[in-house]
């Protein structure tokens, strides 16, 4: 069902991109150096939104795919834990700026967010295929 993917794209992806898109807009209309173009926290928020959405959608599936649901929930929980650690590291870097390599954290957050997008897309692709083939989503 294409409608499910479109809803995912609008309700999950676009909402998750609000911090990133807002930063791009503010960066574009301010003087150079006032606002950073890319911040790890924006990508952490994006990844968290994707994985929370995965968990929510998977819970509404019928119980005939319990093992797949368990694996996907576990993956999402692991990514949420990674994002939580990255966020904690960002908070430490605010107090002790030279203690943490902020560029490395930014690269990790962007990389994880891209992987999260791929995982979320595959989850919603499978869910939409199951619903289109007569599967049940509660």
């Amino acid at each position: 069902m294409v409608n499910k993917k479109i809803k995912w794209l609008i309700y999950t992806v676009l909402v998750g991109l609000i911090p990133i898109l807002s930063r791009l807009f503010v960066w574009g209309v301010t003087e150079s150096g006032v606002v950073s173009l890319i911040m790890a926290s924006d990508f952490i928020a994006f990844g968290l939104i994707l994985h929370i959405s995965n968990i929510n959608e998977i819970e509404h599936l019928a119980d005939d795919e319990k093992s797949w649901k368990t694996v996907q929930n576990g993956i999402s929980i692991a990514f949420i834990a990674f994002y939580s650690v990255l966020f904690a590291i960002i908070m430490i870097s605010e107090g002790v700026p030279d203690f943490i390599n902020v560029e490395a954290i930014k690269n990790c957050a962007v990389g994880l967010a891209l992987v999260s997008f791929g995982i979320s897309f595959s989850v919603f692709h499978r869910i939409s295929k199951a619903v289109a083939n007569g599967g049940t989503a509660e």
Side-chain angles (χ1 to χ4, degrees):
M1 171 185 278
V2 176
N3 194 20
K4 191 122 181 112
K5 281 187 192 175
I6 291 171
K7 284 183 178 181
W8 168 77
L9 185 64
I10 294 169
Y11 296 148
T12 303
V13 176
L14 287 181
V15 169
L17 286 173
I18 287 172
I20 297 168
L21 297 175
S22 297
R23 181 173 297 278
L24 287 173
F25 176 73
V26 172
W27 178 83
V29 299
T30 58
E31 294 294 322
S32 178
V34 173
V35 175
S36 297
L37 178 60
I38 297 174
M39 290 297 290
S41 58
D42 299 340
F43 288 89
I44 290 170
F46 178 63
L48 287 171
I49 288 169
L50 291 175
H51 286 290
I52 291 167
S53 178
N54 288 353
I55 291 170
N56 181 53
E57 280 298 319
I58 289 169
E59 287 304 311
H60 291 92
L61 286 177
D63 286 337
D64 57 345
E65 297 189 63
K66 279 187 177 185
S67 63
W68 180 79
K69 287 170 61 172
T70 301
V71 168
Q72 292 305 319
N73 279 336
I75 289 170
S76 288
I77 290 167
F79 269 82
I80 289 169
F82 290 141
Y83 286 120
S84 298
V85 169
L86 283 177
F87 191 71
I89 292 171
I90 289 171
M91 288 189 291
I92 292 169
S93 73
E94 290 173 0
V96 188
D98 295 331
F99 185 66
I100 304 293
N101 183 343
V102 177
E103 195 65 30
I105 298 303
K106 186 187 317 179
N107 292 337
C108 286
V110 170
L112 277 175
L114 291 173
V115 172
S116 294
F117 178 80
I119 291 169
S120 189
F121 178 82
S122 70
V123 165
F124 276 82
H125 178 72
R126 182 166 176 161
I127 290 171
S128 65
K129 255 178 51 176
V131 171
N133 291 333
T136 58
E138 298 171 352

